[in-house]
Amino acid sequence: ATEVTGFYDGQGLYRVRFMPDKPGEWRYETHSNRWSLTGQHGSFQVTAPAINNHGPVEVRNTYHFGYADGTPFNQIGTTSYTWIHRPEALQEQTLATLAASPFNKLRMCIFPQAHGIKLMPPTRWPFEGVPKHWDYTRFNPEFFQHLEKRIAELRDLGVECDLILFHPYDDKEDWGFETMDPATDDFYLRYVVARLSAYRNIWWSMANEYDDLRTKTEIDWDRFFQVVRDSDPYGHLRSIHNNRRIYNHNHPWVTHVSIQNGAAVNDAGRAELYRAVYRKPIIYDEVKYEGDSIYRWGNLSAQEMVHRFWAGTVAGTYVGHSEFFGKPDDVVWLGQGGVLKGESAPRLAFLRKIMVEGPAHGIDPIDQWSDPYGLRRTPVGDGLGEPHVGGQAGEYYLVYFGRSAPKSWAVEFYKNSLSDGMRFAAELLDPWAMTVTPIEGVFTLKQKDASTFADIDGRAIVLPGKSYMALRFRRVP
C-alpha cells in the first residue's frame, strides 16, 4: 500500500495526486479529519505509459542516473532561477528556448529572488497576503497551480525540474521567506511535496548556496531533507547546493551531490575526487557561467564552458550550464530565462549525442594505474600533462586532451586482462566544430610484453595539433 497526502487547492476543493508505478487496477481509501472526505472508496485502471514516458529518474550504477523503465538519463542541465516569476510572454519564450536546446534538466526556484524585481516584479506569491503581511497558515492556490502548469510543460519537453526549495536571495525587508520559523518551514515543505511529488520529472534541491542562508543551521538542513524524504512516497532525487561550505553528502537522505566548484571540474583528474569521497552521482551544477558579467562567476567563454562539460564527462561526473549576458535588454538566462545568447548550447547538444551513443552503464573514469583494462594515457609531450580517459573498460574509451594540443598520440592498452585479437574502431571528435572523423583502419590488440598491449602495427594517431580534441574507441565485435 502507498500512503499519499492530499492538499487544499482553493474554493473548497481538496485533491489527492498519485503516481502509480505499474499498470492495472488500483484501489483507494481516503482518511481525513473531515467527515465528508474520509472513508471514500474506489478504484481506477492504470494504462501502460506513453512512448515518451520513461518514469522518474533514479540513481543507477552508483554514479549515474536512469529512468524507472531502465532508459539511461544523460544529464545536460541548465539553470534559470526565477523564470516562473517573469511576465507570461517571457515564460513562453523560455519554454520555446528549452524545446530547441540540449538541456534535459532545469534548476529553478519556488520563491522569487530580489535580482531583477524592479524590471519585472512578481505577480504571484506562494502565501496568501501581501509583502510584510503574509498569512503563513494559508497557501496561495493560484501560485501553485501556475507552478504546476510550468512543471508539466517541462515534463512534456522531456526536461527534469530540479526544484530549489530555499535560497538566500530574499528581499529581506519585504518578503521574509528566509526567516520563517521551523514550524512554517516544515509546513511549507510538506505542502509542496503533497502537491508536486506525483509529477514524474520532479527533483528536490533543499537550497541554492545553502550556507549563505544564515537563518538556518546544519540541523535545520538535516531536518528539511528528512521531512521531504518522509513526505514523498515516490523517493524522488534529493540534493543541496553549496557556496563555500560543502554539506555532508554522505548522509543517507542525500541521493546525489549537487556542487558548485568550477576549479575542480576544470580538470578531469580533480573532478573524479568527489566520486571517490561520496560514492554517489556527482553533478557540478555550477561551474561558473558563460557570459559577459563583470563578476568572475559570470564571464566564462563558450569554449571554456564546453571544456568543463567534457572534463566532467570523462571523469564520470555531470555538469550544469547557465549564462549571464546582460546586453542588450538586461534579461539574463540565469535569472529570468528568455533566449540563450551564448555559443555553448549547440556544442553541448553534440556532447549529449556522444553520451547517448556511449555505454548504457554510463561513462566512468579509467585510471591506468588501477584499472586492469586501462587505455594508456601517454604523455602528449607539450608540458600540459596526459589526456584523461573515461568509458567502460574493454568496450568503450573516450579520450579527452583538454588544453593539450598534440600532433600525434600512440595507442597502447595496459595490462594483460585484455585479450589478443580485441579490435577497436577509433574516431576523432572535435567538441567545438561538432565533427566526428573516422580514423582509418581498426586497432587490433596484440600482447607487447607482460604488462602492456598495443595496436598490431604500433602506429600512432595523427592529431590536428589544437586544444580541446577527443578520441573515441569502440569495440568492434
Side-chain angles (χ1 to χ4, degrees), residues 140-172:
N140 178 4
E142 181 190 1
F143 171 88
F144 284 97
Q145 290 160 6
H146 178 74
L147 173 61
E148 291 162 351
K149 174 187 175 185
R150 295 311 190 195
I151 291 172
E153 288 167 332
L154 293 176
R155 176 199 62 200
D156 295 342
L157 292 176
V159 177
E160 301 294 300
C161 174
D162 197 350
L163 194 61
I164 298 168
L165 301 171
F166 293 98
H167 66 65
Y169 320 121
D170 206 353
D171 185 326
K172 297 171 178 58

Side-chain angles (χ1 to χ4, degrees), residues 282-329:
I282 309 297
I283 304 181
Y284 290 92
D285 274 311
E286 183 177 339
V287 294
K288 302 180 184 177
Y289 305 121
E290 181 184 0
D292 59 7
S293 172
I294 62 173
Y295 300 107
R296 59 166 185 79
W297 46 261
N299 54 24
L300 289 184
S301 69
Q303 192 160 55
E304 181 64 20
M305 175 65 78
V306 173
H307 162 65
R308 294 182 183 202
F309 265 83
W310 277 79
T313 298
V314 295
T317 65
Y318 299 90
V319 184
H321 154 282
S322 197
E323 61 172 47
F324 196 104
F325 289 98
K327 299 174 183 178
D329 52 7

